[in-house]
Amino acid sequence: MTQAHQLRELVRVLVETPTPAGSEQALFPFLMDYLQAHEFTVTEQEVTERHPLTPPGEYRNLLARRGESRLLISAHLDTFPAYTHPQPYTLREEDDRLIARGVVDIKGQIAALLFAIAQTDAPCQIAFVCDEERGGTGSRSLQFDADAVVVLEPTELKPVVAHAGAVEATALFFGRAAHGSMPHWGDSALEKAIAFADALKTHPLIADQRHPLFERAPFITLGKLESGSEAMVVPNKAVLNFDIRVLPGYSAKAVAKLVQDLGTRFKAEVRIDDVSEPVVLDEGTKVVKLVKEAATRVLGETPPAIGYWSWTDAVNYLERGIPAVVFGAGSLGVAHSDEEWVRMSDLMTLAQILTCLLQLSSDRLA
């Protein structure tokens, strides 16, 4: 069996075992058998903490150790719900692309890690955590002993040293129904929701954000809008769920207050669902240098450090004072989509970098 076939088979097994948040333990038997076959001691840790966004389910982390290592490699086991994905848990292949729900976020990254630990007997610590996609309780509850963490996520093989913060909120708007041909007799809650969103998008506290590690991009995602029944009725109620990204150097708490203040202005009921502040890791930190060196040895050039638009488990580790860098193959932009994909060749490259990283860390972080 060729190395490419071995890696592809690992991806297939992982993808074809559905693990939306709350069902991560479906992969435990496979992972435990694989890890133990490669000389790891494996333990389970119960996660009892719940975030308001954590879905119902049973939550546990899996922690594995081989030898004495001060580096932890962390990956979440949960994937985003399938929703409208046409073939969510069947791995498809088109040329060099592997396609399925969770293949880039995060099953492909895990497959590359599993492949890497079979290529070297270097000491290693691994954490497979739960509930990353929703509440982040897995990494927040994880009990471990390490000096640094590498968190696997799709980063296009570039180390992430800065995370955008976020404010997720839901706003409820009220109006007055009327005949659709006579909108001036009513008061459209839907139009209030749209005006509210426009006011957020153009407010300087949001629109004027800048940071050198982040490209220019929209800061607000309008995720869900529910309102009305048909064109002939002025909507008397609207519900808007949205997310706002907050760059390093700016305050998520201040943005959350802005959302509430604008809600008052538009006579809306606003619920702040989640607030996370942006974080930055010093690019000169030992673990960042280590990841860059491993990547340089495989790629032949040093990848630039970047900022990441999404929250990851690294934020929880950083908040504990433990240096954590994010790294992986593929693009975050295609994650959660109906055509989620990652290149097989990139996963093989990631596996080579992780193999090199484990070998380097056994000396540098001993």
Side-chain angles (χ1 to χ4, degrees), residues 322-346:
I322 303 170
V325 61
V326 186
F327 190 78
S331 173
L332 177 67
V334 300
H336 300 184
S337 73
D338 285 352
E339 286 292 311
E340 186 173 342
W341 61 272
V342 65
R343 294 192 186 279
M344 179 68 188
S345 55
D346 287 342

Side-chain angles (χ1 to χ4, degrees), residues 160-179:
V160 168
V161 297
H163 286 71
V167 175
E168 183 176 341
T170 303
L172 174 61
F173 301 86
F174 300 95
R176 184 175 65 255
H179 193 285

Side-chain angles (χ1 to χ4, degrees), residues 171-194:
L172 174 61
F173 301 86
F174 300 95
R176 184 175 65 255
H179 193 285
S181 69
M182 303 283 286
H184 52 290
W185 280 54
D187 181 22
S188 174
L190 176 55
E191 291 191 10
K192 289 180 183 178
I194 294 171

Side-chain angles (χ1 to χ4, degrees), residues 199-214:
L200 280 175
K201 289 179 180 179
T202 57
H203 194 282
L205 185 60
I206 297 172
D208 292 351
Q209 296 180 85
R210 301 289 185 271
H211 191 279
L213 291 177
F214 290 82

